[in-house]
Amino acid sequence: MTPNRNADRPRIDAHEKVLGRALYAADQPFPGLLHAMTVPATIAKGRILSIDTAAALQVPGVVRVFTHADFSQIRTTPAARGAYGQPGKGYQPMTAPQVRHRGEPVALVVAETLEAVVEGAEAVTVRYAEDPFSARMEDDLASPEPEAVGQLASGDAEAAFAAAVHTIDVEYRHPQQHHNPIELISTTAAFEDGTLRIYEGTQSAAAFAGGLAGMMGMEPQALRGVSPYTGGGFGQKNGVQEQSVLVASAALLLRRPVKLVMPRGQLFHTASYRPQSRHRVRLAADGDGRLLAGIYETVQQNSRYDGFASDHGATPPRMYGYGAWRGSERIVRVDTQTPGHQRAPHEHPASHATECALDELAGALGMDPVALRLANDTQRDPITGKPFSSRHLADCLRRGAARFGWDRWTNQPGALVAGNGDRIGLGVACGSYKAAMTPSVTTLRLSAGGQCRIATSGHEMGQGIRSVIAAELIDVLGVDPDKLDIRIGDTGHAPQHLTAGSWGAGSAAPAARAAALKLREELSQLTGAALSDEPVPVQLARTRRPYLEVSVDTVPLGKDRQAIEQLRRGMPVTTGPEYPDFLAFSWIAHFAEVHVEPSTGRVRVRRVVSVADCGRVMNRRTAESQVRGGVVWGIGAALREAAEIDPRFGGVLNNDLAEYVVPVNADIGAIDVDFIDEPDSRLNLSGVKGLGEVAMVGAAAAIVNAVHNATGRRIRHLPIRIEDLL
């Protein structure tokens, strides 16, 4: 069956969420539930000399105070702590008396009530011996690692740059940023049916459960990971958190259910974050605007332990038809917790640097920035020479320019003035993100009464993956959406892949479609004839069978059956963007209009038009929501968000939503979203590519370019502050 264009349907779980029936990890009710709270370290580096728990134990309701003496048996398993399940140096707080970063847990208090546990945690007193530390890349004690020259290269970029007439050489800086999802990070551990179940809003229930089992010396099957819903993951919830094994171990020792919800202020020092980075961009072009060379060098902050690779240079050379390219990256190690993936983790900072640099090049050439990008459109990857599975970036630019009214743009900064005197600026930027996929294991059961139950791999993080699965079942089987039971995020129902990197829809949709097609095929064999256009449950009822059940393993392009075995063992396994015959990416073009008040420098983003090429659109409503959310993040990145680091004590000063400024409704103007909606049939059965990550890529750059168009000021750091424009 050829996939149909999907209708605009409400989220499949919308009513559950609005009515409060969608229970998140911390909502799970358990009799005899104990509450836990960590005591954060008040130094950035050193050793614990003593921990006085006497006052805490006198608080009514406090059951126990755990320290590193209780948890020294926890194994430090690098695969459980490294980013995306990859091996890292490995470090788990509260397994020894050392302190590796400010805010890490040094004690765990458990009590009968939340009030008692908070009071108990505040009563614990810790003495330390401090060591010198660095909290920022520019600090004296920060340690750089050797530069990895030529990470991606094609042709002689240095020679082409040296010979070119039109060149730019600029450096852009990106700050440390934090996720701040509305759902706080939490862990609940409880014994059910002889199994220790860990409820956590995670993006990787299987790898999470397997990692915890390894750390606790348990057999993997003795621990079940459950992520019923995740209230925003964005990369922060794709690994074992610092508190996870502590809560699980406490439940194991006390033989009672234990829950910890990490306060937001502590999350700034315990959870992963987007690291600070610097980007030097050199571009060269001929008189017609054809790109002759791109040279891209980055420096990224990292921790002293677990690895988080710098991968800024993976996407920019694929954006346009560069004649030659060279990229290199290095990291600088500091005394903080390990950074990690945050929505469009490297692609967002990379697009800020390269798309703004491209705007600078357009200015040097006297070219329209849209025309410059169209002049360098390509259907082949400049690095490997392989074609793209599909690429409609030029269509995104043309359609976006028409919807936005780009013909108003002028290369004279400040030429457009609003009726109230505000300077109007127009900016454009593009983005891409890899189209990746993972294996899935799916069981689909359809009853003659129309009930349809599917258990498959994937996690619901608000991005609408349940709606994606539902769309395929409705398209292929004609099932009633109200009779769907979609079971994901639970290792007890199906092996769970890591849901991240914009491969959720590209993995879940083909899995659901393959299972639905197999069920149709088996039903057709039962009836001895091809199925009609009637809903499949109606045709099943005529066979007088109560139900029909099928199981399907889906293996993405470039992988073999071993990928299914890795999935069953809880190991993250993905493929893309490079496949045997092509490369696959999602693409987007953003157009932004800003108004800058000339006397105060206040910037308002009045309008954004975004046009995306994400293959087949699985649900127009959730897709538009994804893009709008990405644009809002772009506004925050361009104008609001930055962690303010205290070099004296190693902490984040603005570690709450009162001072870590994010956009609010008053900051958001009109966001107009459109899609090319052309299925990528070469990539997978459903013709779908990812959207959640690419939605943010380029959004901040479009705003920064618009600010330059309004003011003539070229600001090369984020966020843009009022003082930058005064």
Side-chain angles (χ1 to χ4, degrees), residues 72 74 164 221 301 385 395 421 469 476 536 594 619 688 692:
S72 60
I74 293 175
Q221 61 270 20
Q301 172 184 319
D395 294 333
I469 294 168
V476 178
V536 173
V594 303
N619 183 299
V688 64

Side-chain angles (χ1 to χ4, degrees), residues 542-710:
R542 293 198 190 102
T543 67
R544 299 185 180 277
R545 292 177 62 101
Y547 67 88
L548 189 59
E549 183 174 294
V550 297
S551 295
V552 175
D553 296 345
T554 49
V555 179
L557 291 173
K559 295 291 183 181
D560 55 24
R561 286 288 308 176
Q562 185 180 357
I564 297 293
E565 297 310 310
Q566 290 176 296
L567 175 68
R568 292 186 183 279
R569 294 199 302 271
M571 298 173 59
V573 51
T574 62
T575 182
E578 186 171 351
Y579 297 93
D581 299 322
F582 54 77
L583 268 75
F585 287 86
S586 294
W587 314 91
I588 198 165
H590 298 284
F591 294 80
E593 176 182 327
V594 303
H595 289 209
V596 182
E597 207 283 325
S599 61
T600 65
R602 184 193 67 189
V603 180
R604 288 286 185 265
V605 181
R606 294 296 186 190
R607 194 164 59 101
V608 175
V609 172
S610 303
V611 182
D613 166 23
C614 57
R616 176 169 164 244
V617 175
M618 297 303 302
N619 183 299
R620 179 88 188 198
R621 192 171 305 191
T622 56
E624 288 183 359
S625 176
Q626 283 279 45
V627 176
R628 289 194 177 98
V631 169
V632 170
W633 272 47
I635 294 171
L639 304 175
R640 300 285 186 271
E641 296 184 49
E644 304 293 345
I645 309 301
D646 188 337
R648 302 166 302 167
F649 305 110
V652 180
L653 290 167
N654 55 335
N655 62 330
D656 55 44
L657 286 177
E659 294 185 308
Y660 184 90
V661 186
V662 298
V664 297
N665 285 350
D667 298 315
I668 311 303
I671 303 176
D672 182 13
V673 179
D674 198 11
F675 302 97
I676 302 301
D677 201 5
E678 287 291 335
D680 191 333
S681 57
R682 300 180 69 183
L683 187 61
N684 57 54
L685 189 64
S686 298
V688 64
K689 300 188 286 189
L691 179 62
E693 308 263 15
V694 79
M696 187 181 181
V697 185
I703 294 165
V704 172
N705 291 337
V707 170
H708 170 262
N709 186 245

Side-chain angles (χ1 to χ4, degrees), residues 185-219:
I185 285 174
S186 71
T187 304
T188 302
F191 284 95
E192 296 180 280
D193 303 323
T195 301
L196 182 60
R197 295 192 187 184
I198 311 296
Y199 291 83
E200 190 165 304
T202 178
Q203 299 171 235
S204 185
F208 161 78
L212 278 185
M215 296 173 80
M216 297 169 68
M218 300 171 62
E219 293 297 321

